[in-house]
Amino acid sequence: IAVFGVPIAFTFFGWQTVCLDCVRHEFRSAPSCEVQNGYFLGLFKTQKRHINNVSDVGYKESYGSKNIRISTVVLKNDSRQINVFESSTNVNDKEKKKVIQEVKTFLENKEQSSLHFPERFSNIFGWIGLSMGLVLVCSSVYWAFRYVVPEKPHPDGKSFR
């Protein structure tokens, strides 16, 4: 299972999309936002998450195993917060900062009525998973070909495939 599971998981989570849509229902009011994440080049999408009266955006940091700092971006209102990125990681800081900057600009510009922010990104795990998957597929095809195609006798007595 690990032979197939690791490359699939790395590839699945290594290419992600985030679609952030915010709308002000009334002029100069606090916006409502909706976030949806997609994985594996956007083929698999998560359920949309909503938050009303967004007042701030920022980092939510914690420490994972071996005291590695992991973070995600959160949208906040007076009573709760939601993650923009579905999982916390220690990669993709540039993309996280880009999301924060876009949302902060939108929140500061009270005359802007909406924000549509789709972002695609990949990380090293996606490339590792893709590489491992390609090696696994090529090895499987080679093995199947060697197993299925019988050896043919060579005119000088040696066998070859």
Side-chain angles (χ1 to χ4, degrees):
I1 292 175
V3 171
F4 292 103
V6 170
I8 289 170
F10 275 27
T11 304
F12 187 80
F13 292 107
W15 277 286
Q16 297 183 38
T17 57
V18 172
C19 189
L20 173 64
D21 289 303
C22 297
V23 175
R24 294 183 202 280
H25 295 291
E26 295 177 17
F27 185 68
R28 302 180 70 79
S29 66
S32 296
C33 294
E34 179 178 87
V35 179
Q36 185 173 35
N37 298 86
Y39 296 97
F40 195 56
L41 304 171
L43 296 174
F44 298 96
K45 296 192 185 295
T46 62
Q47 196 169 18
K48 292 180 180 179
R49 298 178 308 282
H50 302 274
I51 186 168
N52 294 322
N53 301 319
V54 175
S55 58
D56 197 14
V57 60
Y59 275 114
K60 180 173 123 183
E61 295 182 332
S62 60
Y63 288 90
S65 62
K66 300 183 182 181
N67 284 334
I68 296 173
R69 183 187 65 84
I70 56 177
S71 64
T72 190
V73 176
V74 292
L75 297 174
K76 305 173 191 176
N77 66 15
D78 292 337
S79 60
R80 69 184 194 110
Q81 62 186 22
I82 63 168
N83 292 349
V84 173
F85 295 87
E86 201 160 66
S87 57
S88 297
T89 65
N90 63 344
V91 294
N92 300 110
D93 284 336
K94 184 174 88 174
E95 288 81 1
K96 292 174 188 174
K97 288 176 183 174
K98 188 175 178 181
V99 170
I100 289 173
Q101 185 58 46
E102 288 288 325
V103 174
K104 279 190 180 204
T105 301
F106 173 68
L107 291 174
E108 290 169 1
N109 182 1
K110 302 279 187 197
E111 295 182 9
Q112 184 179 349
S113 63
S114 65
L115 171 69
H116 176 68
F117 185 74
E119 179 72 18
R120 288 181 177 259
F121 59 94
S122 62
N123 58 42
I124 189 70
F125 299 112
W127 291 105
I128 290 171
L130 183 63
S131 301
M132 290 170 61
L134 286 174
V135 167
L136 184 63
V137 167
C138 291
S139 299
S140 298
V141 168
Y142 176 75
W143 175 81
F145 180 75
R146 299 267 307 166
Y147 182 75
V148 171
V149 176
E151 290 186 21
K152 298 176 185 172
H154 193 268
D156 65 0
K158 297 180 183 176
S159 64
F160 70 96
R161 292 188 188 263

